[in-house]
Amino acid sequence: MKFALISSWHVHTKGFVKRLLAKEAECVYVWDFDEERGEEAARTYGGTFESDYRRILADEQVEAVIIEAPTTMHKELIVLAAKAKKHIFSDKALALSTADCLEIEQAVLENGVKFMLSLESLAVNTYQYALNWVKEGHAGEITTAYFRRSHGAVLLQNLPDYWFDKSQSGGGVTLDLGCHGFALLPLFCGKPKKVSCLMNEAYGSGVDERSTTIIEFESGCIGTATTAFIGPTLDNYLEIVGTQGSIQVVGNEHEHQAIFVQSNLKEEYRFKTQIPSEEISKVNPFPIEEFVDLLKDPEKQSYPQYDLETAKQLTRLIECAYESAETGKVVTY
């Protein structure tokens, strides 16, 4: 796969491109609105720095674009790429409004290109285990779900200053780390119905630094997504509770994770039990890796967990959270 890297603004860029190159994909161009950053990325990943985005799109050897640009630029960049018949991989979130997502969707569908949104949490092996465990019915009907993801970016100052510039990022922690919970919870709970959110800023970063979003789903399940830029370390916690059991996943993808289950329906899990590590899958491909495989398969148009429907749902939840926090009201999804 010959691709063009469209900015290395995003903090995920280095890791994602490394995975791409390991799949024998080739970077032929780098574009960036910051010329110095773009030229450095071209030296690092190969290819040629090109300041004219349209010139890249006009090159027939470019099969796909990897959108790692500011979220506020996504709609324009992606629509142009779709019209140029380039396949599209985009970092999250897809866009800042449902209206923008619909414009992107129209361009993608009209031009018959393939699209994938990066939601790397959905590939984490322990969350896949939890989802399969719930689908197998061990927890009964799901009643509540909770997900927390936080780190200390504001306290540790270990992210670029522009990460907290709304004119580029489009929002704060609710948009950034909040994406993980907003993507995971509907997999367990179904279609969202109502959203309520509280968020605030305490350390002068200029964006929301912590938030808790409560989602009522059409199933009646109530989910909670909590996130923060002011934690002591990278921290994840997932808990799913049903009428017949529960499952908890402790830890993040960069450290040892533990899974605890309890089920009234299985005698061996009558009491809370830790799942042995050897029973948990060790490898799941990241979305960026599956994107390469997607382009190789002429029969496959998308992966459901990373498709346009998922992308639109995620953006709508982000919209609802910010509207609720601003107005103090419960927002209908």
Side-chain angles (χ1 to χ4, degrees):
M1 185 188 82
K2 296 181 185 295
F3 69 91
L5 174 63
I6 308 307
S7 183
S8 59
W9 174 88
H10 206 290
V11 295
H12 290 159
T13 305
K14 183 177 180 180
F16 284 179
V17 175
K18 181 180 178 181
R19 289 176 181 271
L20 267 181
L21 298 178
K23 293 279 286 187
E24 298 183 353
E26 179 185 352
C27 179
V28 292
Y29 286 108
V30 174
W31 173 90
D32 206 309
F33 59 96
D34 183 318
E35 185 172 335
E36 182 179 350
R37 182 172 61 204
E39 289 181 340
E40 181 182 352
R43 288 191 296 270
T44 302
Y45 307 125
T48 302
F49 173 73
E50 174 56 68
S51 60
D52 187 340
Y53 183 51
R54 285 175 172 80
R55 184 173 293 178
I56 293 174
L57 296 180
D59 191 332
E60 293 184 358
Q61 73 171 319
V62 177
E63 300 171 65
V65 292
I66 309 301
I67 305 294
E68 293 293 305
T71 312
T72 51
M73 301 176 72
H74 279 194
K75 185 184 79 168
E76 179 183 4
L77 294 170
I78 294 173
V79 168
L80 285 172
K83 290 180 177 179
K85 310 294 186 182
K86 307 302 182 186
H87 303 297
I88 298 153
F89 179 91
S90 175
D91 217 319
K92 60 186 190 309
L94 176 58
L96 299 179
S97 70
T98 299
D100 284 353
C101 287
L102 291 175
E103 284 191 49
I104 290 171
E105 180 181 47
Q106 181 178 358
V108 167
L109 296 179
E110 284 182 352
N111 290 282
V113 297
K114 297 184 180 184
F115 167 87
M116 181 175 286
L117 184 71
S118 181
L119 293 170
E120 59 273 16
S121 283
L122 304 189
V124 174
N125 56 349
T126 50
Y127 301 148
Q128 285 293 325
Y129 183 97
L131 185 60
N132 291 334
W133 197 82
V134 167
K135 285 182 175 179
E136 290 168 2
H138 304 312
E141 180 183 348
I142 303 307
T143 59
T144 57
Y146 175 87
F147 182 74
R148 178 180 70 245
R149 185 172 177 91
S150 63
H151 59 51
V154 167
L155 300 179
L156 301 175
Q157 298 182 340
N158 57 1
L159 289 179
D161 290 342
Y162 60 67
W163 203 250
F164 309 103
D165 177 358
K166 287 183 182 179
S167 69
Q168 297 185 55
S169 65
V173 73
T174 310
L175 184 148
D176 180 17
L177 296 183
C179 281
H180 298 282
F182 292 158
L184 275 169
L185 293 181
L187 295 179
F188 294 96
C189 303
K191 185 177 180 179
K193 180 180 178 182
K194 295 179 181 178
V195 179
S196 179
C197 179
L198 290 174
M199 63 178 69
N200 60 37
E201 173 192 351
Y203 291 86
S205 66
V207 298
D208 50 293
E209 297 167 351
R210 57 187 164 193
S211 73
T212 292
T213 303
I214 299 174
I215 306 168
E216 180 186 2
F217 293 85
E218 290 185 352
S219 65
C221 180
I222 295 177
T224 303
T226 293
T227 190
F229 277 153
I230 51 176
T233 184
L234 178 59
D235 182 45
N236 279 25
Y237 180 78
L238 172 69
E239 179 179 61
I240 308 297
V241 180
T243 54
Q244 295 292 338
S246 66
I247 183 167
Q248 293 86 30
V249 181
V250 183
N252 67 72
E253 66 273 23
H254 303 295
E255 64 184 14
H256 174 72
Q257 291 181 288
I259 300 177
F260 300 91
V261 299
Q262 186 278 324
S263 175
N264 296 339
L265 305 175
K266 294 181 74 67
E267 187 60 37
E268 65 268 37
Y269 298 144
R270 179 69 59 175
F271 301 101
K272 196 174 294 297
T273 303
Q274 183 172 355
I275 299 298
S277 58
E278 57 268 20
E279 293 185 20
I280 304 168
S281 168
K282 297 296 189 299
V283 178
N284 276 311
F286 263 49
I288 192 74
E289 296 167 310
E290 293 202 281
F291 182 63
V292 179
D293 297 331
L294 178 66
L295 298 198
K296 291 179 180 178
D297 186 348
E299 302 299 320
K300 197 170 187 64
Q301 190 62 28
S302 64
Y303 288 99
Q305 288 186 343
Y306 310 121
D307 64 5
L308 283 164
E309 287 301 317
T310 300
K312 289 188 296 181
Q313 178 177 260
L314 176 60
T315 289
R316 180 57 189 155
L317 284 172
I318 293 169
E319 273 188 310
C320 291
Y322 278 100
E323 181 182 343
S324 174
E326 182 178 345
T327 64
K329 297 179 180 179
V330 176
V331 177
T332 300
Y333 174 84

